[in-house]
Structure formats: structure tokens, C-alpha cells
Amino acid sequence: MNHLTKLTVYEAHKMLMSREVTSLELTRAHLERIEEVEPKVCALITRTGELALKQAAEADRRIEKGEAGPLTGIPGIIKDVICTRGVPTTCGSRMLENFIPPYNAAVMEKLNSAGMVMLGKANMDEFAMGSSNENSAFFPTRNPWDLERVPGGSSGGSAASVAAREGMFSLGSDTGGSIRLPASFCNLVGLKPTYGRVSRYGLVAFASSLDQIGPFARNVTDAALVFSVIAGFDERDSTSVKAEVPDFTRSLNGDIRGMKIGVPAEYFVEGMQPGVKQAVEDSIKKLEDLGAVVDRNVSLPSTPYSLAVYYILAPSEASANLARYDGVKYGYSYTDSQNMWEVMEKTRQIGFGAEVKRRIMLGTYALSAGYYDAYYLKAQKVRTLICREFTQAFSKYDALVAPTSPGVAFKIGEKTEDPLQMYLTDVCTLPINIAGIPAISIPGGFSGGMPVGLQIMAKPFDEETLFRLAYAHEQVTGWHNKTAEISR
Ligand code: GLN
């Protein structure tokens, strides 16, 4: 049975179609695998085994009737920031520990109608604030490549579960790197789609102008298959864009001859680990060998301001979004007092963890009268500069290539004492959310035995280019085939 958890989504789909396997068998194999590795990896907050078996039986009936699509009967895992009707959605927080959404997020509606099987909800940094999963109110998730290390965050549970073969794919959310960073730390493919490409309806809001949902998978084809299902316009999300959703698997042909690629110098930051730099340079060389035209002298001069811009804008938006957790409308409520103000205060004091409180304070400060112009407004202006530089770059290049992070996965506890060090792990991913463009992180080699991520960026709504380059790279390097020892 265990071997079934080694299949890719695409392989499993073909076997389901040819009746070599049933969805019930696939699902049972994954549930067993979860039993086996979950005590070590700790990727899941909620397991939904019973629901999964029901969905698998239903998927098998659909397959029998010839009504199956590429995800029908495929077991996957959902980040616990995405609302699932009737299934707890905690957001990694005490505040929502007992919250059971009465509705499904738009992406869940799509996955359910595609016939996916949901195995569980993945652990995450509280309200998606973090880079290591150590901000989860419940427990830290461990990196399957080295259980002493973090899986990255905030979608660490989504990444670890797929790398440990607990699920065949997963969904995460990315506000400043939360899909790409864990993908790079766990040797996975992780896509942050164009802002507006995937509906945010039913995604618990962190920073609304930056948040996007995207897939994790063990190869590019699988990521394209999942993305094809969740992408598309939704009128319930006012920032959703009416753009055509092409068949993303079409760009998986390995032909990248003549494609123009820029390498922005600013992403090779000071303090970058030499092994990571080497792996990324080797990867770029591979793309060149395949016929891409690489310009290594690209400059996006505003890049270094991204960290400052992000840590003004994201907390500002978060402070507004999290105001709804007042002990009345949602989630946890402190009940040992008759005084309304005390109830509100204690609710937030007990319900939120330290990082969430820090962000609310930062954001409230930046938005307050007297500081708004100096911080929030200034950050918005610099945001425009960052966007412009990308627009200019994409008038010359089809894609930009850079590291996903300056380092490999770090040790649990290594950066928890120093928030600034933690924030710095995202220097290479933040500009992408600020500009709203799409980017993918793919396996880019190894440094000291730990996976390195290669990040590819493209212009808005050009995820096809990302998939094209990613697939070509994957075919020649085969890095994605390397698995953590626990997964062999
Ligand atoms: N690590 C970044 C933060 O803490 C990004 C998180 C995210 O993308 N959700 O805000």
C-alpha cells in the first residue's frame, strides 16, 4: 500500500482511469502513511479521515460513470487558513480553535466539484504570520528533510505533508512568501499566482492586497494540474480578475529556446549562503544550456526597500482585518467579566499569540493620525516604484530568475528570539507580492544536504511562462526526484 503514496498526482490519475487502483485504496494508503509519519512531522492540525473515505467512495463512483477529471479521487491537504464547511478552520490560532465555517472557500468549492479527497488541514503560523511554522499556537511542524529544522512558513504544514508523502498535493497561501519559502525548504514546487487569479473568498484574511492561494506539489505537472482547477474569476472576491484560464499543462513541453531571462542582482543579497548561491547559478546555467538567453546584469534598484514596505503594509492591513476578532462576532470569547471592554481586551490578550499582537501594534501605529503619511503613504509610494521596475523589466525579459531564499531551512528555535532575522528569510519573495506578479519556487539543487529553491517570476497572468521554464528545468535536473530519507 505504502508505494501508492509515492505516486504523483498525474500518475495516480492515470491509474485511476485505467482502474489499476481505486480512490479508496489511494486514500487508505495515505491515511496509513499519516498514522506512520505524523508523530514525527506534525504537519496536520485536523485529520479528516472519515470525510476522506466518503469522498473517495464518491470519487470511485464518478470514475465508474466516466465523469472524472484530473483531480477526481486524488488525496490532498488544505492549509488551515482556508474555510472548509463543517471542518474546523483554526488559522493556527487559539482565537479560531473552535471555529467551524458554515461555508466553503471558493477554492474548496472548486476542488470539491473536481472530486478531490481531503485528508486534513495543515498546520501554519498563526494567521499566516511567520516563516517557520513556529508561530503556530499548537505545535511546530518539522522539516521532513531534517526533523530538527523548520519546514518554512507560514504554509509549513502544507509543504511538510506533501514532502513526507502524507498527501499528494496541498494548498497554501502566500502573502510575502509563505508558499515559495516552504516549497524551497522542502524540495517542492510551490506557486504564488498573480494577484487576482485565484479567489480569496473564504481565505481568512491576513493582508488583503497581498494574499493569494496556490498549490504545492512534488513536480511541475502536478502543480499545473491543481492550479488549473483553482484558478479563475469569482464575483465574490472584488479583486478577482476576469482573465482567461488557459490549459496550463500545454506549456509543459520542455522548449524554452530563445526565451529571455533576466537575473536581478539585488536578489543575491549580502549574507546569502554560498551553497545556495552556487546552486542557483548552476540552475541558471542549465536554463542557458537549454537555449534560453540569459542576461545576468539586470538591476531592480528598489528591491532592497521591499522588506520595509512589506512590514508597513502587511501589518497595517492585518491590523484592520484582525479587528473583527473582538470576542463577539468570531471565535474565542473571554466570558469571565461583565465589562464589555474587559471582555474585548482579554479575548485578544488570550486569543492571539505574540507575533500577531506585534503585527497589530505595528500596523495600528503606522495607520494612526500623524504617522500615516510618514509610514503607510510612503510605503504605498515605494510600492508603486517596485511595481514599475517589474513592468519595465518584463518589457525586456520573459522571466526573471533568482533564489527563493538566501538560505536553506534553519534549525528550530534558531531565529525565534530575533524577529528581524526571521523577517529577512523573505527578502527574495516579498517584492513579488508587493507587485502582485506570479512566481514559482522549484527544486534548485542542494546545499549541505538541504534543498535549495529556484524562484522564477513573470508578468501578471503569465503563469504559463513560469510552468514552461520550470518544467524544462525539472526535466534536465531531476532535482524533484530526490526525496527526504523519511520518504524513501
Ligand atoms: N513570512 C512573511 C510574514 O511573516 C510572509 C508570510 C506569508 O506569506 N503569509 O509575514
Side-chain angles (χ1 to χ4, degrees):
M1 285 284 258
N2 216 305
H3 65 280
L4 291 176
T5 63
K6 291 187 178 171
L7 297 171
T8 66
V9 170
Y10 186 57
E11 288 164 348
H13 167 64
K14 282 192 297 191
M15 287 175 68
L16 285 166
M17 295 325 267
S18 63
R19 312 292 195 271
E20 279 165 85
V21 72
T22 65
S23 175
L24 267 174
E25 287 165 345
L26 268 182
T27 302
R28 286 208 185 96
H30 283 87
L31 292 174
E32 274 171 26
R33 175 74 185 161
I34 288 172
E35 285 292 327
E36 181 190 337
V37 295
E38 196 46 21
K40 290 184 196 139
V41 179
C42 311
L44 303 179
I45 293 176
T46 304
R47 302 189 202 179
T48 52
E50 231 169 274
L51 172 70
L53 291 170
K54 249 191 241 158
Q55 290 176 329
E58 175 56 29
D60 282 330
R61 280 192 289 275
R62 262 177 82 165
I63 293 167
E64 268 325 303
K65 282 194 266 173
E67 292 166 0
L71 293 190
T72 309
I74 303 291
I77 286 164
I78 304 297
K79 185 178 182 182
D80 216 16
V81 68
I82 293 170
C83 284
T84 41
R85 188 172 59 216
V87 176
T89 300
T90 70
C91 233
S93 181
R94 294 272 168 229
M95 190 60 94
L96 292 177
E97 194 170 2
N98 298 312
F99 175 57
I100 300 182
Y103 69 106
N104 274 322
V107 290
M108 282 319 297
E109 292 175 352
K110 288 184 177 223
L111 286 172
N112 287 338
S113 49
M116 163 218 186
V117 171
M118 186 173 80
L119 299 165
K121 304 287 301 280
N123 196 19
M124 55 183 282
D125 286 300
E126 185 174 7
F127 283 99
M129 298 171 185
S131 307
S132 66
N133 253 54
E134 291 162 296
N135 293 338
S136 163
F138 306 115
F139 46 83
T141 294
R142 289 162 182 278
N143 190 319
W145 286 84
D146 176 350
L147 298 172
E148 298 300 306
R149 290 175 193 259
V150 304
S154 64
S155 316
S158 302
S161 62
V162 174
R165 298 199 278 113
E166 296 176 75
M168 304 192 97
F169 73 93
S170 65
L171 290 191
S173 65
D174 192 313
T175 303
S178 280
I179 293 175
R180 289 159 289 154
L181 185 74
S184 86
F185 282 6
C186 297
N187 205 41
L188 297 173
V189 176
L191 172 72
K192 190 295 245 189
T194 310
Y195 185 75
R197 181 63 114 170
V198 177
S199 172
R200 290 183 295 110
Y201 177 79
L203 167 71
V204 180
F206 166 9
S208 307
S209 79
L210 304 161
D211 300 340
Q212 272 292 290
I213 297 171
F216 285 96
R218 291 195 288 260
N219 68 20
V220 174
T221 305
D222 287 4
L225 288 173
V226 178
F227 183 54
S228 298
V229 170
I230 62 169
F233 176 70
D234 177 13
E235 60 180 16
R236 294 166 300 181
D237 169 359
S238 61
T239 57
S240 173
V241 175
K242 267 190 188 138
E244 190 219 339
V245 180
D247 173 2
F248 294 104
T249 55
R250 246 185 4 209
S251 34
L252 310 180
N253 59 13
D255 183 7
I256 61 165
R257 276 171 302 173
M259 285 182 81
K260 294 197 201 73
I261 294 177
V263 183
E266 289 80 3
Y267 284 73
F268 293 78
V269 294
E270 212 188 293
M272 185 174 180
Q273 292 171 3
V276 171
K277 186 158 185 261
Q278 190 58 51
V280 170
E281 276 165 4
D282 291 348
S283 281
I284 294 169
K285 185 79 184 39
K286 284 275 188 299
L287 294 171
E288 208 166 30
D289 293 344
L290 285 164
V293 184
V294 178
D295 181 351
R296 290 186 174 75
N297 295 309
V298 179
S299 174
L300 303 172
S302 297
T303 305
Y305 303 117
S306 298
L307 193 74
V309 167
Y310 178 86
Y311 278 99
I312 298 290
L313 296 183
S316 295
E317 294 184 26
S319 79
N321 276 327
L322 271 57
R324 72 190 65 170
Y325 304 101
D326 55 7
V328 179
K329 296 193 282 295
Y330 290 95
Y332 172 73
S333 186
Y334 179 81
T335 49
D336 283 353
S337 168
Q338 297 296 1
N339 178 311
M340 182 187 82
W341 296 110
E342 199 189 351
V343 167
M344 217 181 271
E345 210 178 288
K346 285 271 170 50
T347 293
R348 295 163 73 80
Q349 210 174 68
I350 299 168
F352 288 140
E355 184 61 28
V356 175
K357 287 178 193 154
R358 184 180 296 128
R359 304 283 177 108
I360 292 173
M361 285 192 285
L362 275 172
T364 307
Y365 182 81
L367 289 176
S368 59
Y371 293 107
Y372 180 92
D373 287 2
Y375 293 108
Y376 185 77
L377 201 64
K378 185 69 130 219
Q380 290 289 23
K381 288 179 181 167
V382 181
R383 181 177 200 172
T384 303
L385 294 179
I386 293 170
C387 292
R388 262 190 220 153
E389 285 176 10
F390 275 119
T391 308
Q392 276 164 9
F394 290 123
S395 70
K396 280 168 72 184
Y397 308 101
D398 298 305
L400 299 171
V401 175
T404 304
S405 179
V408 296
F410 45 91
K411 290 259 162 67
I412 292 175
E414 195 180 318
K415 296 187 199 271
T416 38
E417 294 310 308
D418 186 351
L420 215 59
Q421 277 307 312
M422 191 70 90
Y423 297 173
L424 278 166
T425 54
D426 295 319
V427 279
C428 302
T429 50
L430 300 171
I432 283 80
N433 301 71
I434 291 171
I437 63 173
I440 196 167
S441 180
I442 58 172
F446 291 82
S447 170
M450 294 301 292
V452 171
L454 180 74
Q455 181 172 224
I456 313 174
M457 314 158 218
K459 62 176 175 292
F461 298 97
D462 192 13
E463 285 90 355
E464 275 184 292
T465 288
L466 301 181
F467 285 125
R468 183 181 299 274
L469 285 162
Y471 183 80
H473 180 269
E474 177 179 280
Q475 294 310 298
V476 293
T477 61
W479 291 128
H480 64 296
N481 288 323
K482 281 202 124 194
T483 50
E485 180 151 350
I486 199 175
S487 298
R488 275 169 214 154

